[in-house]
Amino acid sequence: MTHADVDDPFAHLHDEDYARPFARGLAHAATLVTLSGRPMVSLDGAWLLTLDLFDEGLRQRWFDLDETPPSQWAVPRDYEIEAGEPVQVPSCWNVLKPEWTYFEGGAWYTRWFDWRPTVGAGRTILSFGAANYRALVFLNGVHVGGHRGGSTPFCLEITDQLRQGRNRLQVYVENRRQADRVPMHHIDWFNYGGLYREVALVPLPDVFIRQASAALQADRASIRFDLCLSDAVDGEASVTIAALGLEKSIPIKAGKGSITAAASPELWSCDTPRLYEVRFTFRTDAVTERIGFRTIEARGTQILLNGEPVWLKGVCVHEDDLALGKVSSEADIRRRLQHARELGCNFLRLSHYPHHEAVARLADEEGFLLWAEVPVYWAIDFGNPDTLADARNQLSELICRDINRASVIFWGVGNENADTDARLAFMAELARTARHLDPSRLVGAACLINRETFTIEDRLAAHLDVIGLNEYFGWYEPNFSGLDRLLANSNPDKPVIISETGADASPGHHGAGRVLFTEDWQAEFYRQQFSRITATPYVAGLAAWLLYDFRTERRQTSFQRGFNRKGLIGADKTTAKLAFHALASCYRSLGRAR
Ligand code: GCB
């Protein structure tokens, strides 16, 4: 029997192939549409949510059901949309009800919206900021596509399924941890589920601008513009930067066009984060981006911003909030940047997955440099071609989304992955993908240490521009002698960034000397680390692990209680620990020279 045997009311009980029809129609990087400056209709707000641990909704095709009230049902049902819990989107279900805290499974979101055609907008897409991990989308009972990957945006065209008047939108979101996913089932953060970023309808003309980018070239005297349209048409697009008096046409062949034009913009930097309004048009369509122009390069063991060495004073951050889970409100993002500024930072590592797109927009405005990465974390199923396809797509979606953000200087392709042949091939392919999509930025990953010889030793390093090093000498190892050996023994030919170092401290817990989980040791740990790191010429920066304490079920001692306590500030995002002030004074001691 198959799911198609609708006359047999029990067919679904025996159909283990129920999910097959929904595997098709996955949105991916090439179907993303740039939203910058476009009019949109928000679909955020009130939705109804029904948890579905057993995939009953896919087995029984809940999306197909009519909306007759139970009093008129001829036979019983297992699903009633209106019985769903009213929730707000964006949200993570884990923080909505205590009994949902640890829920890992599927859930059905439903809402209705009215739609009328707009003049000049022959096409409509549905845009999702992110859904963790897999989403299947149904409009008026029709499966219109889906997406996998928990932190990147996706777009689905719904032009043919939209009805004038009332429409029913259902999204099945599922957050099971699985060995073949990216990340896999073993992670050191909380597996929040849900439709946790914005959802919108985007009206578009018949042929529209899918992606548009502008990047300052290495000569710092010209800008390259790239444009990709929705369809393989020929024609002429144009680009304008009014503040530079620049107006150029871009010849389009088969839906694509590129030009390089002479221009000398004021350079974007941390001190002067100058942004220009860049307007791309094609026929009736227009996209407006605010773009900063700068160059970033690795030369020897230095990182150069606009040709000048920059030392990265950084901090890592997770998307995690006691009240909101993985939802990032603008207020939350601004608070992160404000705390980073108080710490004396010019750099943030957005670990370990793509963060909300507003982070890079605000970092552009405020003059922070960013390391953005995909969750190729620990023991990924490196030999699995489908897992590679998923990882490559997540990386491509991240790059497409943030291609115009001056703040983003590194694409991170992985974190602490054991050095096997399969992993090398997998991650080298990700590095190639990043360079192919974006030759203007640097590629990095948190690499490995040989613990017998105490050297940085990772075959992946040959494929990277910057070597990330996560090291916890003084925390997971009882003293710093290993760090001394490691820093002295290694002789890298490219910049090294300490992409993580840190120690747990339970807020308010004190003690003298190396007493674990005390604020005092965490502060002393940073002082010890900092003097060694800054005395090492090939280290070009540090990203402390990390800004705030965050939820993770791996951590269950009385000091942790479900939290990683390596935050410089507690999970309340208010209580600064001693280490916050210690690291701030270390960063201050570098002055402006670094
Ligand atoms: C690491 C991981 C990070 C962990 C951290 C820790 O190396 O990259 O995700 O949370 O260590 O606290 O142990």
Side-chain angles (χ1 to χ4, degrees):
M1 273 184 253
T2 73
H3 59 87
D5 293 324
V6 283
D7 292 340
D8 176 354
F10 302 108
H12 67 273
L13 296 180
H14 310 292
D15 177 11
E16 284 308 313
D17 205 21
Y18 64 91
R20 185 194 292 266
F22 311 110
R24 71 191 156 76
L26 289 188
H28 50 91
T31 58
L32 261 185
V33 179
T34 177
L35 304 178
S36 301
R38 294 189 177 288
M40 292 189 275
V41 181
S42 170
L43 295 181
D44 296 344
W47 291 58
L48 292 169
L49 182 66
T50 302
L51 300 196
D52 179 10
L53 193 54
F54 295 95
D55 276 358
E56 262 338 297
L58 298 178
R59 294 169 186 271
Q60 298 183 26
R61 301 175 67 83
W62 286 352
F63 52 88
D64 254 357
L65 294 175
D66 59 42
E67 291 172 28
T68 49
S71 58
Q72 291 168 30
W73 292 350
V75 291
R77 295 180 180 181
D78 293 326
Y79 178 58
E80 183 191 348
I81 294 173
E82 303 281 358
E85 199 73 36
V87 299
Q88 290 294 307
V89 167
S91 63
C92 298
W93 57 63
N94 316 74
V95 293
L96 299 181
K97 290 176 124 195
E99 61 270 36
W100 291 354
T101 305
Y102 299 110
F103 182 76
E104 293 182 328
W108 290 83
Y109 286 87
T110 306
R111 70 161 286 161
W112 293 263
F113 62 87
D114 279 317
W115 180 80
R116 309 255 167 258
T118 331
V119 181
R123 296 169 74 172
T124 306
I125 62 150
L126 253 178
S127 153
F128 294 86
N132 192 25
Y133 180 88
R134 184 168 65 114
L136 299 172
V137 182
F138 302 88
L139 183 64
N140 301 317
V142 177
H143 172 226
V144 292
H147 183 257
R148 64 176 179 174
S151 307
T152 43
F154 58 100
C155 294
L156 294 168
E157 179 155 9
I158 52 167
T159 306
D160 297 336
Q161 284 79 31
L162 265 177
R163 291 186 191 145
Q164 270 207 45
R166 192 171 197 254
N167 288 265
R168 184 175 86 202
L169 178 60
Q170 283 168 294
V171 187
Y172 170 75
V173 183
E174 175 263 293
N175 74 329
R176 295 187 184 101
R177 283 174 298 119
Q178 289 180 192
D180 61 352
R181 290 188 166 176
V182 185
M184 46 88 77
H185 52 246
H186 187 213
I187 52 178
D188 192 30
W189 64 89
F190 196 90
N191 180 33
Y192 292 106
L195 220 40
Y196 70 95
R197 289 190 189 144
E198 294 73 9
V199 184
L201 281 175
V202 189
L204 295 161
D206 291 342
V207 179
F208 56 86
I209 298 169
R210 191 173 279 290
Q211 279 150 23
S213 60
L216 187 67
Q217 299 303 281
D219 61 6
R220 290 191 279 281
S222 59
I223 299 176
R224 181 185 160 114
F225 300 94
D226 286 288
L227 209 65
C228 170
L229 303 181
S230 56
D231 297 80
V233 298
D234 294 346
E236 197 171 281
S238 71
V239 60
T240 312
I241 308 179
L244 291 178
L246 183 147
E247 188 166 358
K248 297 279 173 197
S249 74
I250 307 178
I252 302 287
K253 273 255 168 287
K256 289 194 162 57
S258 302
I259 57 159
T260 301
S264 298
E266 187 188 329
L267 298 178
W268 182 97
S269 69
C270 298
D271 291 336
T272 54
R274 172 81 158 95
L275 299 177
Y276 288 89
E277 197 164 289
V278 183
R279 187 174 164 81
F280 298 89
T281 53
F282 180 77
R283 298 183 190 161
T284 56
D285 197 26
V287 162
T288 307
E289 281 274 31
R290 293 183 71 219
I291 300 179
F293 297 105
R294 52 103 191 97
T295 57
I296 191 80
E297 64 198 291
R299 189 177 303 155
T301 55
Q302 289 188 318
I303 292 168
L304 308 184
L305 176 66
N306 299 323
E308 299 290 331
V310 58
W311 206 86
L312 302 172
K313 296 175 267 187
V315 67
C316 300
V317 61
H318 260 298
E319 278 187 323
D320 191 52
D321 187 83
L322 286 178
L324 302 173
K326 202 168 152 50
V327 173
S328 288
S329 62
E330 188 178 326
D332 192 35
I333 298 169
R334 285 193 186 279
R335 174 171 46 191
R336 268 174 237 168
L337 297 182
Q338 181 55 30
H339 277 142
R341 192 170 299 289
E342 287 166 20
L343 193 58
C345 293
N346 57 8
F347 175 59
L348 287 97
R349 177 178 177 203
L350 309 179
S351 43
H352 282 298
Y353 38 73
H355 285 210
H356 193 289
E357 67 124 25
V359 176
R361 286 189 189 278
L362 293 173
D364 269 12
E365 284 175 14
E366 298 208 9
F368 285 99
L369 301 166
L370 300 177
W371 167 311
E373 70 188 72
V374 285
V376 176
Y377 183 87
W378 293 351
I380 292 286
D381 191 1
F382 288 116
N384 183 337
D386 195 44
T387 304
L388 174 58
D390 187 358
R392 204 198 287 114
N393 182 56
Q394 292 187 42
L395 178 64
S396 305
E397 288 173 335
L398 168 64
I399 293 175
C400 287
R401 189 194 70 179
D402 289 353
I403 189 87
N404 288 319
R405 302 285 76 85
S407 52
V408 178
I409 54 169
F410 302 138
W411 300 124
V413 295
N415 186 75
E416 296 179 356
N417 318 93
D419 191 358
T420 62
D421 290 348
R423 173 267 197 168
L424 184 63
F426 186 111
M427 291 180 68
E429 171 59 18
L430 293 184
R432 269 193 298 279
T433 300
R435 290 210 178 84
H436 169 72
L437 291 174
D438 178 13
S440 79
R441 289 182 175 81
L442 304 177
V443 178
C447 293
L448 301 173
I449 300 168
N450 180 329
R451 289 185 179 276
E452 279 164 25
T453 58
F454 285 91
T455 43
I456 301 170
E457 192 178 291
D458 191 326
R459 289 180 292 163
L460 181 65
H463 300 266
L464 304 173
D465 302 308
V466 291
I467 299 171
L469 197 60
N470 296 355
E471 56 81 8
Y472 288 86
F473 294 96
W475 177 250
Y476 291 123
E477 314 340 68
N479 58 52
F480 298 94
S481 62
L483 180 59
D484 292 332
R485 287 174 68 189
L486 173 72
L487 295 175
N489 290 351
S490 304
N491 185 22
D493 58 355
K494 37 186 90 170
V496 169
I497 293 172
I498 305 300
S499 38
E500 288 178 28
T501 193
D504 284 71
S506 178
H509 184 43
H510 291 279
R514 190 171 179 273
V515 181
L516 299 183
F517 295 101
T518 59
E519 287 197 32
D520 311 74
W521 178 249
Q522 189 192 29
E524 180 57 19
F525 169 93
Y526 274 108
R527 286 188 281 265
Q528 296 282 338
Q529 280 276 346
F530 192 78
S531 59
R532 291 167 164 88
I533 289 167
T534 47
T536 308
Y538 61 76
V539 175
L542 159 66
W545 188 255
L546 80 176
L547 192 53
Y548 304 116
D549 290 351
F550 63 98
R551 279 195 183 101
T552 172
E553 291 312 303
R554 293 180 63 244
R555 314 281 183 172
Q556 293 297 346
T557 66
S558 56
F559 300 110
Q560 298 161 318
R561 300 209 180 281
F563 284 81
N564 185 313
R565 302 280 184 198
K566 294 191 188 70
L568 298 165
I569 300 177
D572 62 2
K573 298 184 175 170
T574 306
T575 312
K577 303 180 195 173
L578 292 178
F580 181 92
H581 305 293
L583 184 60
S585 100
C586 289
Y587 280 156
R588 245 191 329 269
S589 71
L590 291 178
R592 295 179 70 80
R594 279 194 175 172

